[in-house]
């Protein structure tokens, strides 16, 4: 829950500053943030990304050797173990999309262009996930998948103008991963 708040607060500040400080309306600031439901085609693109991301996540977990921290008693990394765990996972995924694709990706792509901006936001997205390597270095297969997911979800945000379909894909992918590692 704290992560979701941490990721969402900068976007809220952005909206407040952009809508008040520059005289622009809130709708314009929301559009720049990518905070809209999107069109049906946005969700069609999201569905096209869902399968490859699920396959890549599954392959990453298959590459983690037996005996890694995922198998240790009491470890809940990536596991969904309760209703509150589901809620936390959904909020975390949505918060990450708001911050990384909505705010950071939006700003970077507008300032640097799609290729450089999206590459940079995907790289920044991977940074907090590197903490997994502090838990167990054998979790390394997850890192390239996180980078690829960040890049593809950034592409989806750029293509559709909204982070919401990406948040749905991110949530579904995390939920499936959380159920698979049980």
């Amino acid at each position: 829950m704290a992560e979701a708040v941490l990721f969402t607060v900068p976007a809220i500040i952005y909206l407040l500053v952009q809508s008040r400080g520059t005289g622009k309306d809130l709708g314009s600031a929301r559009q720049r943030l990518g905070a809209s439901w999107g069109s049906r085609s946005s969700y069609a693109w999201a569905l096209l990304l869902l399968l490859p991301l699920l396959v890549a996540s599954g392959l990453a977990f298959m590459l983690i050797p037996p005996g890694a921290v995922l198998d240790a008693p009491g470890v809940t990394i990536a596991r969904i173990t309760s209703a509150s765990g589901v809620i936390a996972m959904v909020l975390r995924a949505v918060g990450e999309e708001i911050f990384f694709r909505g705010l950071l990706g939006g700003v970077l792509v507008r300032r640097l262009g799609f290729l450089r901006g999206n590459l940079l936001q995907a790289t920044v997205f991977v940074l907090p996930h590197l903490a997994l390597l502090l838990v167990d270095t054998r979790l390394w297969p997850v890192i390239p998948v996180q980078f690829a997911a960040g890049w593809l979800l950034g592409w989806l945000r750029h293509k559709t103008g909204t982070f919401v379909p990406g948040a749905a894909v991110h949530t579904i992918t995390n939920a499936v991963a959380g159920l698979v590692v049980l």
Side-chain angles (χ1 to χ4, degrees), residues 67-88:
V69 73
L70 292 177
D71 298 329
V75 172
T76 60
I77 294 173
R79 289 189 180 132
I80 296 176
T81 58
S82 64
S84 62
V86 170
I87 292 167

Side-chain angles (χ1 to χ4, degrees), residues 52-141:
L53 288 174
L54 287 173
V55 169
S57 296
L59 290 173
F61 280 111
M62 288 172 50
L63 289 172
I64 297 171
V69 73
L70 292 177
D71 298 329
V75 172
T76 60
I77 294 173
R79 289 189 180 132
I80 296 176
T81 58
S82 64
S84 62
V86 170
I87 292 167
M89 182 271 308
V90 168
L91 291 175
R92 185 181 315 112
V94 171
E96 286 181 350
E97 290 306 308
I98 290 170
F99 179 74
F100 289 106
R101 259 61 75 185
L103 179 61
L104 187 63
V107 168
L108 291 173
V109 167
R110 278 192 304 278
R111 292 183 183 223
L112 303 174
F114 173 72
L115 291 176
R116 288 189 299 174
N118 196 41
L119 181 64
L120 187 53
Q121 81 69 26
T123 301
V124 173
F125 175 67
V126 167
L127 294 178
H129 295 88
L130 292 175
L132 289 171
L133 299 177
L134 297 174
V135 174
D136 191 332
T137 57
R138 295 174 291 181
L139 296 174
W140 71 264

Side-chain angles (χ1 to χ4, degrees), residues 3-26:
E3 291 170 328
V5 171
L6 182 66
F7 286 130
T8 305
V9 166
I12 292 169
I13 293 169
Y14 174 84
L15 287 174
L16 292 173
V17 169
Q18 289 295 307
S19 63
R20 291 187 186 165
T22 61
K24 298 177 182 173
D25 66 313
L26 183 61

